[in-house]
Amino acid sequence: MNNSITSTSQAHHEIGHLPLSPPDSALNTPNAQHRSDYLASHGLNDTLLHKIKDDLISIALEAGRMITSADPSISPSTPKNNSSDRVTATDKAVEKKVHDRLTSLYPHFNFLGEETFTLGDKLASTPTFICDPIDGTLNFIHGVPHTAVSLALTIDKKPIVGVVHNPLRGDTFAGVKWYGAFLTTAAGVTRRLPVSPVPKPMSSLNECLVAVEWGNQRAGPNWELRTAVHKQLLTDKAEGGAMVHSVRSSGSAALDFCYVAAGWIDLFWEGGVWVWDVAAGWIILEEAGGIVVSANPGDWEPTVEGRLYLAVRGAKRAEQEGVVKELWALMGDRKFVF
Ligand code: IPD
Ligand code: CA
């Protein structure tokens, strides 16, 4: 079945109005009254929610143009926590642009951004915009075309709108709670996610393509656990591993979430990234039928600020739980500590 919704030659910058439609019965949706009461308790309504989505797309596209026109080689990066955790002038300029646009449009909403975050800052329950101006800064610095602007709105500390835009490929992923998730490509084609409307069976980890990242903490117990699990995922079953199809690292947790939402990647296991890396991808994934549980065994309901994530693509719930339990079993009694 063709899942494509529009196939026009419209310019990419005109995609603000994604064809978000009422939720279909397959989605876990409360009734309309419950939904509007919930939104009203936060000063929101359906129309405003869609305006926010359109504004986030428009701001992400503008931010994307800043990224594609920047030359990181003349804007040297500086280390944050260590030599692998870097920031450029473009990260900061994009965050300022996003902040200024959002606070002028929505002055009563909070703003939490990677480059202005201070350790100890906590997500509020009131409406909050979350911004990662460049997720995949190392890719940006090296010229690898996997970087994204990641923008989300949370209420009650849960993502409700998410937009992830990779300006180098021209992909824009967007999701709105209750209304589904969509990908618009550089060619102007918009498709509902997951890309395949009937997800493939996912009976074991052995059949999965798994996203992992390497982080920038390269010593200590978290590093030992990370690399040991990566090895076990890949190792032959005869030697106690899961023998997954393979592992992939895009260098952007936001894009990893979106690739799981699309169904291109089956799972993404990650500890140590931050709320701005995952907030937008989280709602895009959920609206595509996926789930997010903890990277650590046993926690089926992680918080968006918890820094521990296992994202699983849309599939039957029993299959999703099956691969989660298999991956957790590989960890034994080891846990990330962040
Ligand atoms: C990075 C990406 C990457 C992850 C790193 C993050 P940044 O974010 O999300 O996937 O492995 O730990 O720092 O720094 O490019 O925004
Ligand atoms: Ca970033």
Side-chain angles (χ1 to χ4, degrees), residues 114 132 134-137 213 215-216 251-253 270 273 277:
E114 175 177 12
D132 188 338
I134 302 184
D135 192 47
T137 299
E213 295 290 340
N216 50 55
S252 158
E270 170 65 341
V273 291
D277 296 307

Side-chain angles (χ1 to χ4, degrees), residues 251-267:
S252 158
L255 288 173
D256 289 323
F257 263 75
C258 293
Y259 295 170
V260 177
W264 301 328
I265 299 269
D266 298 293
L267 294 91

Side-chain angles (χ1 to χ4, degrees), residues 31-42:
N31 64 41
Q33 188 58 48
H34 174 99
R35 188 165 80 235
S36 70
D37 289 349
Y38 178 68
L39 290 174
S41 71
H42 291 278

Side-chain angles (χ1 to χ4, degrees), residues 220-269:
N222 287 333
W223 175 244
E224 291 306 318
L225 174 57
R226 182 187 299 283
T227 50
V229 170
H230 292 182
K231 184 175 175 190
Q232 277 177 281
L233 282 167
L234 288 163
T235 297
D236 197 308
K237 277 176 165 292
E239 297 195 3
M243 186 77 187
V244 297
H245 277 185
S246 194
V247 298
R248 295 287 181 266
S249 301
S250 78
S252 158
L255 288 173
D256 289 323
F257 263 75
C258 293
Y259 295 170
V260 177
W264 301 328
I265 299 269
D266 298 293
L267 294 91
F268 171 42
W269 177 74

Side-chain angles (χ1 to χ4, degrees), residues 200-208 313 315 318-319 322-323 326:
K200 289 175 298 199
M202 187 171 59
S203 58
S204 80
L205 267 187
N206 178 232
E207 298 170 356
C208 291
R313 73 163 165 86
E319 293 178 335
V323 294
E326 261 191 273

